[in-house]
Amino acid sequence: GESVGLHLPTLSVQEGDNSIINCAYSNSASDYFIWYKQESGKGPQFIIDIRSNMDKRQGQRVTVLLNKTVKHLSLQIAATQPGDSAVYFCAENNNAGNMLTFGGGTRLMVKP
Amino acid sequence: KAGVTQTPRYLIKTRGQQVTLSCSPISGHRSVSWYQQTPGQGLQFLFEYFSETQRNKGNFPGRFSGRQFSNSRSEMNVSTLELGDSALYLCASSLPSGGADTQYFGPGTRLTVL
């Protein structure tokens, strides 16, 4: 099966700075994308989603951008806080029910 | 609304044994999906149940099975456990809208196979 961004890089940012986490996907048929945050010892927590008929969606302090031309997804976190430290996963829905394909994740570390 | 609950939270088994994990979805959610999370393979889809029927299945051997009850609660079973089955098993629930739905995850069950 096709995969979404299988790697686990680490992004280290200063508190108050903006963070940008990137993700590449390979299934051009996917029409729904989600970002999850996972803290140590917890399950993934939904952050924001976007459907393929949009290229940008904003939430509270977060923005997701979708570039279907290059199959790229990004999560922007404004004014990053220590509580944002976690592993962030992008996931795509393969258009067959609720089967999600996850990327490898990115660890975000926020320095106070 | 209470979130997705999973029991037990931690489990230790030995090779060859079998194990059953339980998941209670968010009230009103009728779709339940299971995922396995390991450091090496990341998060991988196991299967999805909706209206007591398996709707999707990932690429796992037949030792992994599941079911869903009429109240939407779900169980997954792993028979003849192997060391490589040690993982965090996550359950996610969602409303069925006919298309792709937002899935909400539980805290997971940490299974250790010795």
Side-chain angles (χ1 to χ4, degrees):
Chain A
E2 294 177 287
S3 61
V4 180
L6 288 175
H7 57 278
L8 185 58
T10 297
L11 176 65
S12 184
V13 300
Q14 203 71 38
E15 180 179 358
D17 287 352
N18 297 333
S19 302
I20 300 176
I21 300 171
N22 296 304
C23 174
Y25 68 93
S26 56
N27 189 343
S28 55
S30 294
D31 67 349
Y32 180 55
F33 304 87
I34 315 102
W35 281 99
Y36 286 95
K37 170 188 179 183
Q38 188 174 27
E39 297 174 282
S40 181
K42 298 183 179 180
Q45 175 189 351
F46 171 83
I47 301 174
I48 192 168
D49 58 4
I50 189 167
R51 298 199 182 263
S52 59
N53 60 350
M54 303 173 70
D55 53 19
K56 181 179 180 179
R57 191 164 188 223
Q58 289 183 289
Q60 186 177 15
R61 282 199 309 118
V62 295
T63 300
V64 56
L65 299 177
L66 175 62
N67 185 329
K68 294 182 287 294
T69 302
V70 295
K71 297 179 196 168
H72 185 267
L73 195 66
S74 68
L75 176 69
Q76 300 177 2
I77 304 174
T80 314
Q81 302 167 0
D84 294 327
S85 294
V87 177
Y88 289 79
F89 293 96
C90 63
E92 62 177 315
N93 187 287
N94 72 354
N95 212 23
N98 285 319
M99 175 177 166
L100 291 177
T101 300
F102 280 84
T106 295
R107 183 176 303 280
L108 175 65
M109 297 176 62
V110 183
K111 295 175 288 187
Chain B
K1 234 183 215 184
V4 178
T5 58
Q6 292 187 245
T7 58
R9 291 294 312 278
Y10 303 91
L11 206 51
I12 299 176
K13 291 286 188 178
T14 56
R15 279 181 299 174
Q17 288 187 309
Q18 72 166 13
V19 66
T20 299
L21 311 181
S22 180
C23 171
S24 292
I26 293 170
S27 178
H29 285 194
R30 293 169 58 200
S31 170
V32 174
S33 298
W34 289 89
Y35 294 83
Q36 181 196 66
Q37 185 174 27
T38 60
Q41 298 298 318
L43 277 150
Q44 294 186 292
F45 174 82
L46 279 156
F47 27 64
E48 179 202 4
Y49 286 88
F50 171 67
S51 292
E52 302 177 63
T53 302
Q54 189 179 85
R55 185 159 69 171
N56 282 295
K57 188 178 190 305
N59 189 26
F60 278 82
R63 300 185 296 109
F64 292 82
S65 63
R67 60 177 176 168
Q68 186 180 34
F69 302 95
S70 58
N71 61 357
S72 295
R73 192 177 68 85
S74 178
E75 290 181 346
M76 68 162 283
N77 184 78
V78 188
S79 63
T80 319
L81 284 165
E82 300 176 0
L83 295 179
D85 296 333
S86 293
L88 181 67
Y89 289 89
L90 293 158
C91 165
S93 75
S94 60
L95 286 165
S97 66
D101 306 304
T102 302
Q103 294 184 49
Y104 297 92
F105 284 82
T109 294
R110 172 73 63 187
L111 171 65
T112 301
V113 182
L114 303 175

